Amino acid sequence: MIGPGRPLDTDRLYIICVNSLGSCFGSTGPASPDPGTGRPYRLDFPELSVEDIVSAARDAVLALGVRRLYGVVGASLGGMAALSFAIQFPDQAERLVCISSACQASPFAIALRSLQREIIRNDAAWEGGFYEPGRGPVEGMRLARKLGLMSYRSASEWQERFGRRRVSQGRLPSSPFDIEFEVESYLEVNARKFITQFDANCYLYLSRAMDLFDVAEWGGTVEAGLARVKAGRTLVVGVETDLLFPFHQQREIAEGLRASGLAVQLECLPSIQGHDAFLVDKERFGRLIGAFFAPG
Amino acid sequence: MIGPGRPLDTDRLYIICVNSLGSCFGSTGPASPDPGTGRPYRLDFPELSVEDIVSAARDAVLALGVRRLYGVVGASLGGMAALSFAIQFPDQAERLVCISSACQASPFAIALRSLQREIIRNDAAWEGGFYEPGRGPVEGMRLARKLGLMSYRSASEWQERFGRRRVSQGRLPSSPFDIEFEVESYLEVNARKFITQFDANCYLYLSRAMDLFDVAEWGGTVEAGLARVKAGRTLVVGVETDLLFPFHQQREIAEGLRASGLAVQLECLPSIQGHDAFLVDKERFGRLIGAFFAPG
């Protein structure tokens, strides 16, 4: 599962990190060639669920000859996947670490991702999903990524980093709506980095998988779903400034697991980087996860 | 100034509500005909500031023969305008009511509005601002409005109103990315209402005016700007769930005014409707503003 690498002692632990099903970075996804036609699956790729992602990852692990994991660790979509693994295969992981994740997507998170997808689909270059490989809706992806960045970070971080600083003091922009504030320039630079990296259709499928994820599908309620977990020890970590997977969603996971008598450590980190903190505030996350996996 | 009507006793108070300069609902703006050419100003309209909006409103008031106001009341952009009025014309209003407003736009709010504008400008139908009257970037406006709605409301309200309900239980959407959740349908319906009402260029100008507003331009710091206010009584109201004009920005206004010895009532309302609460939670706002203006 996806997890920050450094806090895990690789002299003692063997780390298996499986690329997500549906993604364009090594697993099969909408950008992969359909063996039947030789052309990318595109929208013929079936609807993707977090459960599918987990099953594929487990198959990869089984193919390596590993039948039981010491722990599953994941953040964000990866946290949903780690939780889903513990629900689907309760006897196959001893420990569980869910970072900035959720039992189910909130309507606010669904709305955000839905708008990102619509911005991409509205770009004429998306061509109803049938753009040629290597081409596609780069403008839509750029704008969707900006919206993503807004939901991944926090207002307090940007206040600290950018305040109201202008990009070049004293120089007027060439049109009244050009980039003028540093925060606008930051979004532009970061969104441009992303568009050449990620296939648009893969993005759409993975995004929708997060909306669809719902622990309540395992037994009718969130409580029933969480009651399937048997992990001996669980760490649930969230961040105070996270807008996308807010801390109360971490509390929901922890309380649900505790209700079935499991040992759960719940941690709320004061990181100011919002949902992205697990990628940035490595110090805080590393210390916590390192201690969770420390021997003794 | 803009204010909820009902809590103000119109037997006792005369309410003047001036449409904002730059808007398309009665004042001069980018959609108005340029007398020199007979065609809309469009992007030839000069950069718009909150100060301009306030000066135009004050001219309208003076033209009515009114030299001194009993109070200025405004919410959101209107709250910035009310505050700006009290800074620019300190002797001309006895009372000040700032609702869900700010001394200056935060980088998070700037980023949100910047992305809304970019979505509109990226729509080919914007035609660089030169679309024909009555036409324009309706798709861009629709998507920008959805982003607006997300910033105006709150995650907790949507959790309560929509949860994870599907639009029509048991019916699969015709494509994997169609509207499936109720929250997506809500955004679509509300965004469609808006696009036929608001001129795109007017929207861009008013949006940028909010980014540019900064009390610190009056004397070098926010404190110096606020120190110009002389209103005998001030009410500053904010909402706990407001993402766009968060409560700490209301506190900043109140503390700045108190620092210069003014009588300030600061209220944090527990409304769940986010920034839009002043349009929706009329009960709470009405009671508060009614009491502030009650005689005796």
Side-chain angles (χ1 to χ4, degrees):
Chain A
M1 302 279 120
I2 307 150
R6 238 179 302 175
L8 300 177
D9 177 0
T10 49
D11 289 336
R12 209 170 51 83
L13 300 167
Y14 192 95
I15 298 173
I16 307 167
C17 189
V18 182
N19 181 53
S20 176
L21 184 70
S23 143
C24 51
F25 294 113
S27 296
T28 305
S32 309
D34 176 346
T37 64
R39 298 178 56 77
Y41 285 102
R42 300 191 177 100
L43 302 197
D44 289 332
F45 199 78
E47 188 175 79
L48 182 74
S49 69
V50 172
E51 282 80 356
D52 296 329
I53 294 169
V54 169
S55 299
R58 179 172 166 268
D59 287 347
V61 169
L62 284 177
L64 294 171
V66 178
R67 304 203 64 82
R68 192 172 151 78
L69 297 164
Y70 181 53
V72 280
V73 182
S76 192
L77 167 59
M80 287 175 161
L83 183 57
S84 177
F85 186 100
I87 289 171
Q88 288 184 74
F89 310 108
D91 299 313
Q92 292 176 31
E94 216 167 298
R95 296 186 182 207
L96 167 65
V97 180
C98 291
I99 302 166
S100 302
S101 169
C103 292
Q104 49 184 204
S106 72
F108 186 74
I110 292 172
L112 264 165
R113 284 190 291 261
S114 175
L115 180 54
Q116 288 180 298
R117 293 190 299 267
E118 197 172 359
I119 290 170
I120 293 167
R121 290 157 53 221
N122 249 43
D123 183 338
W126 183 55
E127 298 183 45
F130 284 88
Y131 55 88
E132 285 307 307
R135 306 185 68 175
V138 287
E139 280 299 287
M141 288 288 278
R142 190 174 59 79
L143 296 175
R145 182 61 173 178
K146 287 191 179 185
L147 180 51
L149 288 165
M150 267 175 239
S151 70
Y152 303 151
R153 295 294 177 137
S154 82
S156 52
E157 188 209 12
W158 288 359
Q159 184 64 44
E160 201 168 276
R161 278 177 75 177
F162 308 114
R164 291 179 52 82
R165 280 198 308 277
R166 306 304 216 265
V167 277
S168 65
Q169 209 72 36
R171 258 182 64 197
L172 284 171
S174 60
S175 105
F177 308 116
D178 266 4
I179 286 174
E180 185 171 345
F181 291 93
E182 272 194 9
V183 68
E184 295 178 288
S185 166
Y186 159 84
L187 287 177
E188 182 64 21
V189 169
N190 279 280
R192 285 200 181 277
K193 274 188 211 161
F194 178 75
I195 49 176
T196 53
Q197 291 171 1
F198 218 98
D199 175 74
N201 286 337
C202 292
Y203 186 87
L204 295 174
Y205 272 84
L206 287 165
S207 163
R208 194 50 150 181
M210 279 192 267
D211 292 358
L212 297 174
F213 182 63
D214 189 352
V215 164
E217 286 176 5
W218 295 85
T221 61
V222 166
E223 294 70 27
L226 291 176
R228 294 174 55 93
V229 176
K230 292 196 169 56
R233 278 182 63 190
T234 297
L235 172 64
V236 182
V237 198
V239 167
E240 198 163 77
T241 51
D242 193 334
L243 283 174
L244 203 57
F245 291 83
F247 187 73
H248 69 81
Q249 292 197 308
Q250 317 314 315
R251 196 183 299 118
E252 186 183 25
I253 300 172
E255 288 175 358
L257 296 177
R258 278 176 189 154
S260 49
L262 299 184
V264 182
Q265 179 185 352
L266 173 65
E267 300 284 348
C268 182
L269 299 183
S271 314
I272 63 162
Q273 297 92 348
H275 183 62
D276 263 1
F278 63 87
L279 297 171
V280 190
D281 194 356
K282 292 178 185 170
E283 181 61 32
R284 276 203 182 92
F285 278 88
R287 219 181 306 127
L288 195 62
I289 295 163
F292 181 76
F293 281 111
Chain B
M1 302 281 121
I2 307 148
R6 237 180 300 174
L8 301 176
D9 176 0
T10 50
D11 289 336
R12 208 170 52 83
L13 301 167
Y14 192 95
I15 297 171
I16 307 168
C17 190
V18 182
N19 180 53
S20 176
L21 184 70
S23 142
C24 51
F25 293 112
S27 296
T28 306
S32 309
D34 175 348
T37 64
R39 297 178 56 77
Y41 284 103
R42 299 191 177 100
L43 302 198
D44 289 333
F45 198 77
E47 188 175 80
L48 181 74
S49 68
V50 172
E51 282 80 357
D52 295 330
I53 294 169
V54 169
S55 298
R58 179 172 166 266
D59 287 348
V61 169
L62 284 177
L64 295 171
V66 178
R67 305 203 63 83
R68 192 171 151 79
L69 297 164
Y70 180 53
V72 278
V73 182
S76 194
L77 168 59
M80 287 176 162
L83 183 57
S84 177
F85 186 100
I87 289 171
Q88 289 183 74
F89 310 109
D91 298 313
Q92 293 177 30
E94 216 168 296
R95 297 185 181 206
L96 166 65
V97 180
C98 290
I99 302 165
S100 302
S101 169
C103 293
Q104 48 184 204
S106 72
F108 186 75
I110 292 172
L112 264 165
R113 284 190 291 261
S114 176
L115 180 54
Q116 289 181 298
R117 293 190 299 266
E118 197 172 359
I119 290 170
I120 293 167
R121 290 156 55 219
N122 249 43
D123 183 339
W126 184 55
E127 297 183 46
F130 285 87
Y131 56 87
E132 285 306 308
R135 307 184 67 175
V138 288
E139 279 299 287
M141 287 288 279
R142 188 174 60 79
L143 297 175
R145 181 61 172 178
K146 287 191 180 185
L147 179 51
L149 288 164
M150 267 174 239
S151 70
Y152 303 151
R153 295 294 177 135
S154 83
S156 51
E157 188 208 12
W158 288 359
Q159 183 64 45
E160 199 168 278
R161 279 177 74 176
F162 308 114
R164 290 178 55 80
R165 280 198 308 276
R166 305 304 214 267
V167 278
S168 65
Q169 210 71 36
R171 257 183 65 197
L172 283 171
S174 60
S175 108
F177 308 116
D178 266 4
I179 286 175
E180 184 170 346
F181 291 94
E182 272 194 10
V183 68
E184 294 178 287
S185 165
Y186 158 84
L187 287 177
E188 182 64 22
V189 169
N190 280 279
R192 286 200 179 276
K193 274 188 211 161
F194 178 73
I195 49 176
T196 52
Q197 290 171 2
F198 219 98
D199 175 73
N201 286 336
C202 293
Y203 186 85
L204 296 173
Y205 272 83
L206 287 165
S207 163
R208 195 49 152 182
M210 278 192 267
D211 292 358
L212 297 173
F213 182 62
D214 189 353
V215 164
E217 287 177 5
W218 296 85
T221 62
V222 166
E223 294 71 27
L226 292 176
R228 295 174 54 94
V229 176
K230 291 196 169 58
R233 278 181 62 191
T234 297
L235 172 63
V236 182
V237 198
V239 167
E240 201 163 77
T241 50
D242 193 333
L243 283 175
L244 202 57
F245 291 84
F247 187 73
H248 69 82
Q249 293 197 306
Q250 317 314 315
R251 198 185 297 119
E252 186 184 24
I253 300 172
E255 287 176 358
L257 296 177
R258 278 176 189 155
S260 49
L262 299 183
V264 181
Q265 180 185 350
L266 173 66
E267 299 284 349
C268 182
L269 299 182
S271 315
I272 63 162
Q273 298 92 348
H275 183 62
D276 263 2
F278 64 85
L279 297 172
V280 189
D281 194 357
K282 292 179 185 169
E283 181 62 31
R284 277 205 181 89
F285 278 88
R287 220 181 305 125
L288 195 62
I289 295 163
F292 180 77
F293 281 112

